[in-house]
């Protein structure tokens, strides 16, 4: 078995963006601002279950390095970009892998069991 070779290797902190349509009521309910980024506090903690139960979610791979890797994967030949970072062993990590595959980005994550 041969070792894969990539033209571009990216390393960073992988994030998973969750997008919903018509989310104005969610913004108000959880005291959020449109196009803002915050660390979720106690007030925002229930939003994740609310999203899963009541909304159609589009998952998008995010984080600065992963965004750059996705952009490069659009313009470089297939299978020439790989991204690596650390994720938990959960459903959201699986959603992240699906999002990357959809966009043609190869990933090799360090999976932390129990996170």
């Amino acid at each position: 078995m041969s070792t894969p070779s990539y033209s571009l290797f990216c390393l960073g902190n992988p994030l998973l963006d969750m997008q919903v349509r018509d989310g104005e009521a969610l913004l108000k309910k959880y005291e959020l601002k449109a196009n803002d980024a915050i660390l979720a506090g106690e007030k925002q903690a229930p939003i994740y279950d609310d999203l899963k139960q009541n909304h159609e979610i589009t998952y998008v791979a995010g984080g600065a390095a992963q965004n750059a890797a996705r952009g490069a994967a659009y313009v470089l030949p297939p299978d020439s970009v790989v991204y690596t970072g650390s994720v938990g062993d959960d459903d959201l990590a699986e959603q992240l892998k699906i999002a990357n595959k959809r966009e043609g980005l190869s990933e090799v994550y360090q999976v932390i069991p129990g996170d």
Side-chain angles (χ1 to χ4, degrees), residues 10-38:
C10 299
L11 169 69
N13 182 27
L15 300 178
L16 180 63
D17 297 337
M18 301 167 76
Q19 299 177 347
V20 297
R21 295 192 181 277
D22 304 318
E24 290 79 12
L26 283 168
L27 295 176
K28 186 174 181 178
K29 180 178 180 179
Y30 293 102
E31 299 176 8
L32 299 168
K33 297 177 187 172
N35 301 311
D36 199 8
I38 67 161

Side-chain angles (χ1 to χ4, degrees), residues 102-114:
R102 181 178 61 237
E103 301 203 31
L105 178 60
S106 298
E107 92 282 316
V108 179
Y109 291 124
Q110 175 191 29
V111 178
I112 307 295

Side-chain angles (χ1 to χ4, degrees), residues 73 76-81 104 106:
L76 293 174
D79 300 318
S80 61
V81 180
S106 298

Side-chain angles (χ1 to χ4, degrees), residues 59 91 93-103 107:
Y59 293 100
D91 179 58
E94 293 307 311
Q95 291 296 336
L96 191 53
K97 292 174 186 178
I98 292 167
N100 280 327
K101 185 175 183 175
R102 181 178 61 237
E103 301 203 31
E107 92 282 316

Side-chain angles (χ1 to χ4, degrees), residues 69-92:
R70 286 177 37 234
Y74 287 134
V75 296
L76 293 174
D79 300 318
S80 61
V81 180
V82 66
Y83 174 85
T84 190
S86 183
V87 297
D89 186 17
D90 59 16
D91 179 58
L92 295 177

